[in-house]
Amino acid sequence: MFAALADPMRRRLLDALARHGEATATFLATEVPVSRQAVVKHLAVLDRAGLIAGRREGREMRYAVRPEALGATARLLDRMAAEWDARLAAIKRVAETGQP
């Protein structure tokens, strides 16, 4: 999941999907400065990470954000941030007082 979100283009595609609700790779290619084929590859990574879901409608694949997956990711990042805040506070305390 982190590898999928690490790429700026994938984050842009995720943002575009969040704005539009549902979209095809062809439409998304108009939103970003890469080819439709590149968009499809990025969407495949996001799909494997569970951040989006695709459904076939006729000959097209329509993609949408999976909000529950993004919520779980946000909660995980919040926990990690709290742990790092506690560690940094402990380092600051040791640096300022000399005591652990």
Side-chain angles (χ1 to χ4, degrees), residues 7-76:
D7 186 277
M9 184 57 59
R10 287 193 281 271
R11 288 194 308 272
R12 283 182 70 177
L13 290 169
L14 204 55
D15 288 343
L17 282 172
R19 274 193 316 277
H20 297 289
E22 190 176 71
T24 65
T26 302
F27 174 79
L28 291 169
T30 67
E31 299 274 308
V32 294
V34 296
S35 69
R36 182 189 175 287
Q37 291 80 7
V39 167
V40 169
K41 288 180 181 183
H42 285 298
L43 291 172
V45 172
L46 292 169
D47 190 22
R48 281 193 305 273
L51 297 171
I52 66 169
R55 68 174 179 81
R56 186 159 296 283
E57 187 175 285
R59 291 179 37 191
E60 294 182 324
M61 280 294 285
R62 301 191 67 74
Y63 297 91
V65 172
R66 294 186 60 222
E68 66 280 0
L70 289 178
T73 302
R75 288 188 296 278
L76 173 62

